[in-house]
Amino acid sequence: MNGQRPWSFRMTDTRAQVQRWDGLVLGASIATLDEDGYGAIHDGALAWRGDTLAWVGARADLPGAPAELAREVIEASGWITPGLVDCHTHLVFAGDRAREFEMRLQGASYEEIARSGGGIVSSVRAVRESVEDDLFAQSVARARALVADGATTLEIKSGYGLDLENERKMLRVARRIGTELGITVRTTYLAAHALPPEFAGRPDAYIDAVIEWLPVLHAEGLVDAVDAFCEGIGFSPAQTRRVFEAARALGLPVKLHADQLSDLGGAGLVAEFGGLSADHVEHSSLDGVRAMAEAGAVAVLLPGAFHVLRETKLPPLDAFREHGVRMALATDCNPGTSPLQSMRQAMQLACTHFRLTPEEALRGATVHAAQALGLPDRGVLRTGARADFVLWDIAHPAELGYWLGGRLVRAVYAAGTRLAP
């Protein structure tokens, strides 16, 4: 579909010469996102040394001849953006829930499926029955798909184990994915995701167990943040508060599945605890929006779940804009409600369903998503930032939220290392 704009990609090896930078890309336009609009630089120059960007600017402003400045010089066309940041995923899981997808199309609601033994609990059974290597093999394939379409940072949640050993197994797999693919993976402890069968009718006792497991897994270096599912079919605000208090005692940041199906005050609870983000937020109230704005919490929009569940209740987008709440985007990659393996597709769905502008969608998939993970070193292209960037075969950044499918990635770099293709 982009055959009319052939990509020019030529490398010149200058290793025999004195070098300052490891790599330098020339000629492509750069969406820095470091100022209003796209922060566009045309006929740009982007250089890195090690895992850090060393130069971002116009080719004409380079402080010398390219071959004298860099060990590797790449001539390119198209656009460069920051690497995409998927700040909300459940991509470590086993099997699928395609049958539930069929049930929903036949009229069953999300709540009905969950209460009949489907939903999250069915994924729990599959994870518990999987050995760690098999769980890794299934999950890393999904992560590779995200990276191939421009993602360089992923958040991965537990929450399909719901006991100590299986939550540990999920978090170990998540760590292993980051090591295997050479990307950043931030792990989130989501044991407060659903009530496991062995705790049926005893949700407070289960929350006791969730709180007991947390310091164990944190001491093993497996937990970067803590999440919960605060909803009528999940856990109450009071139970969620207990989990958040345990996280705070360990110095761990919190985020929340908030106000997806009803308004239980989840957005306000995140704000009260100084949380990183409130995610879903379709039913968040104006009071919740104001609290998020004051606390600096990010609203993570999940258009994949909105799309698959055929929801009609939009998040309070105008209120977020009015009060200056940053809006991030994520795939919510999971087997039940968002089997989405492309951040670019999440951007397209956000533009279509939520009427985000392409610029809002790109910021939501980069700088704001990085903020939702507490990672200020990425999401923009500026000197000193992490060298995570993507070269795209496009004529304008709006294409990233325009095309349905297809291949637009030319190259993906994480920490200065080329990952794909």
Side-chain angles (χ1 to χ4, degrees), residues 262-312:
S262 61
D263 181 13
L264 295 184
L269 188 59
V270 167
E272 178 185 339
F273 279 83
L276 292 170
S277 68
D279 301 22
H280 286 289
V281 294
E282 283 92 335
H283 291 262
S284 293
S285 67
L286 183 56
D287 286 344
V289 172
R290 288 171 175 154
M292 288 179 65
E294 184 174 349
V298 178
V300 177
L301 309 180
L302 302 173
F306 185 92
H307 176 79
V308 171
L309 293 174
R310 295 181 295 162
E311 295 286 357
T312 58

Side-chain angles (χ1 to χ4, degrees), residues 199-235:
F199 281 88
R202 298 185 296 132
D204 287 322
Y206 179 63
I207 293 297
D208 289 341
V210 168
I211 292 169
E212 179 182 339
W213 303 332
L214 175 56
V216 176
L217 297 174
H218 178 49
E220 295 173 8
L222 294 175
V223 180
D224 296 321
V226 174
D227 194 354
F229 184 33
C230 184
E231 195 57 72
I233 60 172
F235 297 95

